[in-house]
Amino acid sequence: MRFFSDFLHQILHAGKNLLPIVVVVVFFQAVILRQMPNDPWMLALGLGIVALGVAMFLQGLEFSIFPVGKSLANQFARKGSIPILMAFGFAMGFSAVVAEPALIAVAQQAEQISDGRVDGLTLRLIVALSVGAVMAIGVLRIILGHPIHWYMIIGYILVVSVTWFAPEEIVGLAYDSGGVTTNIVTVPLIAALGLGLAASIRGRNPLMDGFGLVAMAVMVPMISVQLYGIWVYNVAPTPELALELVSTEIKAVHPLLQMLLDLLTMLRDVLPIILVVLFFQYLVLRKPLKNPVKVIFGFIMVLLGLYAFVIGLKLGLFPIGEGMAEQLMARNYLPFIYLFAFMIGFATTMAEPALIAVGEQAEQAAPGKLKGSVIRIIVALGVAIGIAVGVHRIISGDSIHYYIMAGYLLVIVLTALAPKYIIALAFDLGGVTTSEVTVPLVTALGIGLATHIEGRNVLIDGFGLIAFASIFPIITVMAYAIIMEYAAKFRRQTA
């Protein structure tokens, strides 16, 4: 009975995250467009499958990955071995990102739109290796007590420098790939690892030292994917023949066999996490798993949840984003396109579970200084503004290079001016704003706009909205902290 109660709670939780999107879409269809969406029952079925898939995925995580991961982290922290802690950080970062549903969705879209030049699996492996490496470095930073702001300033100077040389086809995709690395799987694991380490080491501050791993996990993939793009578009040959052979093979596959192949693909996605857990549990710690049957059942639920999630995306969220973009562009409702982007950004972020969790952790880490509810509003405003600015870039046809470089240069300046206690948290908040629901919808909106605006290249202009949704919350949170700091000083001086 407890299982069914928890599972029902997860379905309701997933439905709550989808509800803001449904409200915004219904409002625009009924009030602005005054027409029914194309194939509404199929869209509703897709959204229902997404909710079911997310619920199964989360329930599976609760049974398997989360308890096992936390147990391993606590045991390694007690051992106090730096190499083992770094190796564990690398392994967990890599395995969690490889299985990230939002990254899978973005990688599939990128491979399809680039006609095979960008390989989806290669892209995911590059991002996962980047996150794994940065987790190891981030663990070492916490152990050594280095301040986060130097890592972020130097890192984003590198990001902006690489952007200057990267081909325009890869820039938006690279920033989007960084934005989707920290999501429903990675945020809880990464945040728990950082805060746990900071709490267990004498002299460390959970707010200043515990946060920051999520931010670093966002930053480094932006560099590595752009370097991959430089190689793909300047060195590697175009895989025309290979793509043709693959597409012929896929057409010949029976639907039932295709379902089995898709499930095996999902198993491949989850397998790295399983192998990491088994390796560290049995070969490093040499201890048996607690409740192995429950853990195995949890992994099966994760697998089936991932499969349902991807099917639901194809039926529901992608058509919604592309359909709204097509309908609004067909009627030339430019102001309403900006309004739709703003409302979707704000509504989905306010309901984002990872943001709620991080906001609560920040409030506990700095009682009296920060309020979780205020943080959520400031971050949601940042995401809403960011997506609206990103939509304007697609409509105007401006190069994403200048927007991204200007945005991160502003972030670097604010990092130098902001109170030190807010820096790690602000960067982390920029990484948790893109949820398993928001990413596919925003990606589809960008691709839909680029498809229906004459003169736009889908690969160059369609990606990038997720990047704006990550940059602007960092700006709004830091700006808010700076204003509050100056207001407090002014009150003290006039008192």
Side-chain angles (χ1 to χ4, degrees):
M1 286 297 294
R2 176 67 187 273
F3 166 75
F4 291 107
S5 174
D6 290 344
F7 187 58
L8 179 61
H9 175 75
Q10 294 289 10
I11 292 178
L12 293 174
H13 181 74
K16 178 184 173 184
N17 291 340
L18 286 169
L19 185 60
I21 295 174
V22 174
V23 170
V24 171
V25 170
V26 168
F27 169 78
F28 269 81
Q29 293 286 171
V31 178
I32 308 299
L33 297 171
R34 297 182 182 180
Q35 67 180 56
M36 289 286 288
N38 297 327
D39 208 353
W41 297 114
M42 188 61 69
L43 295 180
L45 176 64
L47 289 173
I49 294 174
V50 167
L52 179 63
V54 171
M56 293 180 67
F57 186 70
L58 290 174
Q59 192 65 49
L61 291 179
E62 293 292 338
F63 282 174
S64 56
I65 297 171
F66 286 167
V68 174
K70 288 176 182 176
S71 173
L72 286 170
N74 291 334
Q75 292 178 75
F76 288 137
R78 284 199 298 269
K79 278 181 173 289
S81 170
I82 293 178
I84 290 179
L85 275 169
M86 291 180 66
F88 179 66
F90 174 87
M92 290 306 292
F94 176 87
S95 58
V97 170
V98 161
E100 172 54 50
L103 179 59
I104 294 170
V106 169
Q108 288 175 343
Q109 287 281 332
E111 182 170 358
Q112 180 182 350
I113 292 169
S114 66
D115 295 326
R117 295 199 75 168
V118 175
D119 180 72
L121 179 59
T122 303
L123 179 68
R124 287 168 54 203
L125 288 174
I126 288 172
V127 173
L129 285 168
S130 301
V131 174
V134 84
M135 284 301 97
I137 295 170
V139 164
L140 183 62
R141 179 195 73 82
I142 295 173
I143 293 170
L144 297 178
H146 292 166
I148 185 70
H149 59 277
W150 292 117
Y151 284 77
M152 303 314 298
I153 289 174
I154 293 170
Y156 277 110
I157 288 173
L158 283 174
V159 169
V160 171
S161 301
V162 174
T163 301
W164 182 260
F165 297 101
E168 58 182 354
E169 291 90 347
I170 204 70
V171 174
L173 175 61
Y175 282 95
D176 280 3
S177 299
V180 301
T181 55
T182 48
N183 217 291
I184 197 66
V185 181
T186 52
V187 167
L189 287 173
I190 291 172
L193 179 61
L195 290 169
L197 275 176
S200 63
I201 299 174
R202 184 179 297 174
R204 299 293 175 267
N205 182 302
L207 184 61
M208 296 177 66
D209 300 305
F211 290 102
L213 286 179
V214 174
M216 295 176 72
V218 171
M219 176 180 64
V220 175
M222 295 177 182
I223 301 172
S224 57
V225 172
Q226 287 185 95
L227 292 174
Y228 169 62
I230 291 172
W231 179 80
V232 164
Y233 284 95
N234 295 328
V235 180
T238 305
E240 294 177 2
L241 181 60
L243 182 65
E244 187 178 341
L245 290 173
V246 169
S247 61
T248 305
E249 256 181 62
I250 291 173
K251 288 177 183 176
V253 173
H254 189 275
L256 290 176
L257 180 58
Q258 185 63 51
M259 285 181 63
L260 178 61
L261 291 173
D262 289 342
L263 277 171
L264 290 174
T265 301
M266 295 301 139
L267 177 60
R268 180 196 66 190
D269 298 332
V270 179
L271 191 60
I273 297 180
I274 299 173
L275 293 177
V276 166
V277 167
L278 294 177
F279 174 80
F280 279 93
Q281 187 71 47
Y282 287 99
L283 297 181
V284 178
L285 290 175
R286 298 183 182 180
K287 292 182 179 180
L289 279 172
K290 293 180 180 179
N291 299 319
V293 175
K294 185 178 180 181
V295 171
I296 292 170
F297 180 66
F299 275 118
I300 292 173
M301 289 195 70
V302 167
L303 177 65
L304 295 175
L306 272 173
Y307 179 72
F309 177 80
V310 172
I311 295 298
L313 289 184
K314 294 176 181 177
L315 294 176
L317 287 178
F318 281 139
I320 285 176
E322 293 175 353
M324 289 300 299
E326 180 181 358
Q327 291 176 70
L328 290 169
M329 286 304 302
R331 301 193 182 194
N332 201 25
Y333 285 176
L334 288 185
F336 290 113
I337 293 176
Y338 293 122
L339 180 62
F340 177 71
F342 185 93
M343 289 176 66
I344 280 289
F346 188 87
T348 53
T349 305
M350 284 297 290
E352 167 56 39
L355 175 60
I356 295 170
V358 171
E360 290 174 353
Q361 289 176 333
E363 189 170 341
Q364 292 169 9
K369 269 191 174 182
L370 299 170
K371 284 189 177 181
S373 57
V374 175
I375 288 172
R376 286 171 61 201
I377 293 172
I378 298 298
V379 171
L381 280 172
V383 173
I385 294 168
I387 294 178
V389 171
V391 163
H392 172 72
R393 181 198 69 82
I394 296 173
I395 292 172
S396 65
D398 295 335
S399 171
I400 192 172
H401 286 70
Y402 302 113
Y403 283 77
I404 294 292
M405 290 169 69
Y408 277 114
L409 284 173
L410 178 57
V411 166
I412 291 169
V413 172
L414 289 174
T415 302
L417 298 175
K420 297 297 178 282
Y421 72 85
I422 202 68
I423 292 173
L425 176 62
F427 278 104
D428 274 7
L429 290 170
V432 302
T433 54
T434 45
S435 73
E436 74 278 5
V437 174
T438 312
V439 167
L441 180 57
V442 170
T443 302
L445 175 63
I447 291 170
L449 285 172
T451 302
H452 294 98
I453 298 176
E454 190 176 347
R456 301 293 174 267
N457 181 299
V458 177
L459 186 61
I460 296 173
D461 300 303
F463 290 98
L465 286 183
I466 298 169
F468 287 95
S470 296
I471 295 173
F472 277 82
I474 303 173
I475 294 172
T476 54
V477 171
M478 286 192 183
Y480 169 75
I482 292 170
I483 292 169
M484 290 297 101
E485 190 85 354
Y486 277 106
K489 284 182 181 178
F490 179 77
R491 285 195 297 269
R492 286 195 297 268
Q493 290 172 357
T494 56

